[in-house]
Amino acid sequence: MPADPLHRAGTPQRSTTSLPPSGSGASAIEVRRSSRRRRTVSAYREGDRTVVLIPARMSEAEEQRWVSVMLDKLAAQESKRVLGDAELAERAQRLSTQYFDGRARPNSVRWVTNQNTRWGSCTPSEGSIRLSHRLQGMPEYVVDYVLLHELAHLLVPGHGPRFWRLLEAYPRTERARGYLEGVVAAERLPHLSGAGGE
């Protein structure tokens, strides 16, 4: 009897797809189990999906733990990439299409170094969006939130209920806001020299 081609050594024995935890940066997670894989776990992005490769013998609890670890590792790697202005503009266009049906159309999106008290700004009359260079190196979901925040201002100028309803479409709004609040709080802490005692 010929071997089942789906269960040959080295091919996944089981593949599951699920929604990611909030703030992970992907829309779906696919876990692929392999009998050839003994100890190593790896992950990569495939479009809007994250694929996590694990040994077949792992328990469900170990799978969940490793998925979380690998999502954090991928997010850390991605946050080290610095987007240029052209990539930032492309990202804004993609986010507008995904969350605002393409209605928010900025004329320019760029990084600036003169915004030290705000994360971003928008001038609706000019269609210009500026993001603070301080966001560079932060997780992608945080940069995406700030971009969406400024894109929403192209549709609704103030911060009223209509504005916040627009941002409800982005599933990581609260997490990103919490991250930025944490950064601001950390900046206000006194910097102690010689930590660890004398």
Side-chain angles (χ1 to χ4, degrees):
M1 180 167 169
D4 179 354
L6 294 176
H7 293 96
R8 285 192 300 250
T11 59
Q13 287 185 332
R14 183 170 59 109
S15 179
T16 56
T17 302
S18 61
L19 293 175
S22 61
S24 69
S27 63
I29 299 165
E30 182 178 342
V31 177
R32 296 179 187 165
R33 291 175 173 262
S34 171
S35 57
R36 283 186 72 187
R37 199 171 273 272
R38 296 285 175 228
R39 285 180 284 197
T40 61
V41 176
S42 63
Y44 60 92
R45 301 276 196 220
E46 192 173 79
D48 216 18
R49 171 186 308 273
T50 301
V51 177
V52 181
L53 307 170
I54 64 172
R57 62 174 175 66
M58 272 194 183
S59 69
E60 292 294 322
E62 288 174 310
E63 174 183 318
Q64 288 177 3
R65 184 177 71 81
W66 276 106
V67 164
S68 179
V69 165
M70 297 313 287
L71 287 174
D72 288 346
K73 280 188 173 187
L74 283 173
Q77 289 169 356
E78 291 166 350
S79 71
K80 290 177 184 169
R81 287 195 333 246
V82 176
L83 302 173
D85 288 349
E87 293 168 308
L88 200 60
E90 288 172 20
R91 189 178 203 104
Q93 182 180 3
R94 200 166 48 247
L95 289 167
S96 175
T97 299
Q98 185 175 356
Y99 294 102
F100 302 147
D101 298 320
R103 293 178 295 133
R105 296 186 192 103
N107 293 322
S108 71
V109 181
R110 62 191 174 92
W111 295 107
V112 293
T113 57
N114 63 350
Q115 289 189 23
N116 294 315
T117 58
R118 308 184 211 189
W119 298 113
S121 62
C122 175
T123 306
S125 61
E126 297 173 3
S128 63
I129 292 175
R130 295 157 306 280
L131 295 191
S132 171
H133 72 286
R134 296 182 307 139
L135 288 164
Q136 293 174 338
M138 290 190 187
E140 287 187 356
Y141 74 92
V142 175
V143 175
D144 286 353
Y145 164 73
V146 176
L147 268 174
L148 279 165
H149 185 107
E150 302 310 332
L151 285 165
H153 280 307
L154 293 175
L155 304 172
V156 179
H159 288 103
R162 277 184 56 227
F163 175 85
W164 293 111
R165 272 196 301 276
L166 281 173
L167 287 179
E168 285 174 3
Y170 184 57
R172 294 178 281 280
T173 290
E174 288 306 313
R175 183 175 174 131
R177 290 183 73 193
Y179 184 99
L180 293 171
E181 288 170 6
V183 170
V184 170
E187 289 172 352
R188 291 183 181 147
L189 291 174
H191 296 286
L192 302 174
S193 60
E198 294 180 25

